[in-house]
Amino acid sequence: MTYTTINAKQAEKMKRYYIFHSKIYDLTRWTFLFGRKRLVKNIPFQPTDHFRLLEVGCGTGYNLAKIHEQFPNAELTGIDVSEDMLNIAAKKTNKASKKVKLVCEAYGENTTVEAGFDVVMFSYSLSMINPFWKDLLEQALRDLKPGGYLAVTDFHDSKFNSFKKWMGVNHVKMDGHLFDWLDSHFQNHQSKVKKAYTGVWEYLIFIGKKEL
Ligand SMILES: C[S@@+](CC[C@H](N)C(=O)[O-])C[C@H]1O[C@@H](n2cnc3c(N)ncnc32)[C@H](O)[C@@H]1O
């Protein structure tokens, strides 16, 4: 596994956190990681299209399995720092193994994936990549083809500081910091900020296009 020195600490933190959390991830996360199904549904391609998609922080492969169902001809790559999460992703995408490649590394400028993706997706990973989330988005910009799409869903913000603090204990930053950056670096194809549990927090869905 290769880590850039700049984010080695963050990667180690994630690896440690998911040793336990990988075991309860799929059982628990559907109750609060909203927006994932909608993001996959709204990937701007036709079901039979051939395209290349990278998911950064693919975790247990929840999205990759759904993307393969919806776009069986797409070539999918999932990157994650946590071997424990990827082991679950490998089982989940086993039947689609010709179309799904899993890479265990911290995403960044030393990434081993071949650039030229039609879609780069971040689903609830950016809010955990602190303070380097901008570096990873800039890498995604380099790895996208001109005219390619960035697809993001993540926590946006909360008016309850105690909730934000609790999320911080779980390595999540939710300070409304992602949306403006995304909106100013990509042509906005589609975006929404939605309330979770009638406003305990908000989450975002953003699909943006890299300039041609
Ligand atoms: C909350 S999970 C999201 C998993 C999946 N995308 C989903 O929507 O269910 C965040 C994932 O990002 C991964 N991750 C965190 N930092 C990373 C980094 N620098 N490079 C690659 N993956 C990272 C974690 O290991 C974890 O599996």
Side-chain angles (χ1 to χ4, degrees):
M1 203 175 306
T2 51
Y3 298 147
T4 55
T5 44
I6 189 175
N7 65 7
K9 243 180 164 176
Q10 183 268 342
E12 282 305 328
K13 226 188 261 178
M14 292 293 106
K15 275 180 69 176
R16 275 201 305 276
Y17 180 76
Y18 282 110
I19 290 171
F20 169 69
H21 280 271
S22 60
K23 298 183 196 342
I24 57 163
Y25 190 88
D26 286 331
L27 277 174
T28 52
R29 276 12 183 219
W30 64 271
T31 59
F32 59 96
L33 298 189
F34 303 128
R36 294 183 296 173
K37 280 188 190 154
R38 184 189 285 250
L39 187 69
V40 169
K41 211 170 148 225
N42 290 354
I43 291 171
F45 283 93
Q46 295 303 311
T48 55
D49 282 353
H50 292 252
F51 62 94
R52 289 183 71 221
L53 177 146
L54 170 69
E55 183 180 2
V56 179
C58 64
T60 61
Y62 174 92
N63 294 314
L64 293 175
K66 291 216 164 358
I67 297 166
H68 177 70
E69 259 173 51
Q70 193 176 322
F71 303 102
N73 295 323
E75 303 284 336
L76 310 180
T77 303
I79 279 198
D80 206 288
V81 280
S82 162
E83 213 170 336
D84 297 286
M85 295 293 262
L86 283 182
N87 285 339
I88 299 171
K91 283 188 195 137
K92 205 174 286 164
T93 57
N94 185 31
K95 283 193 194 134
S97 58
K98 284 197 180 125
K99 290 288 180 189
V100 181
K101 184 176 161 199
L102 298 173
V103 180
C104 192
E105 66 178 34
Y107 187 59
E109 60 185 0
N110 292 342
T111 185
T112 59
V113 299
E114 202 182 316
F117 289 95
D118 300 286
V119 182
V120 177
M121 174 183 278
F122 291 85
S123 162
Y124 287 96
S125 49
L126 284 172
S127 59
M128 297 187 89
I129 300 173
N130 298 307
F132 311 109
W133 56 273
K134 267 190 212 167
D135 298 338
L136 270 69
L137 283 168
E138 273 159 7
Q139 183 63 37
L141 258 171
R142 290 191 285 276
D143 284 338
L144 274 171
K145 279 182 186 165
Y149 292 94
L150 184 86
V152 177
T153 187
D154 215 319
F155 295 108
H156 176 59
D157 209 345
S158 170
K159 54 188 173 206
F160 300 106
N161 280 332
S162 50
F163 181 71
K164 291 212 262 198
K165 268 196 189 140
W166 165 244
M167 294 306 281
V169 172
N170 287 286
H171 309 293
V172 171
K173 174 178 162 77
M174 48 191 308
D175 279 333
H177 56 296
L178 297 174
F179 191 90
D180 288 347
W181 197 96
L182 294 170
D183 202 40
S184 60
H185 287 76
F186 290 86
Q187 294 167 9
N188 191 326
H189 174 76
Q190 182 186 325
S191 65
K192 256 199 165 72
V193 171
K194 290 178 74 85
K195 284 185 170 51
Y197 295 114
T198 64
V200 178
W201 72 89
E202 291 173 321
Y203 62 96
L204 65 90
I205 295 171
F206 180 92
I207 298 179
K209 199 169 180 171
K210 175 176 169 175
E211 281 182 4
L212 282 168

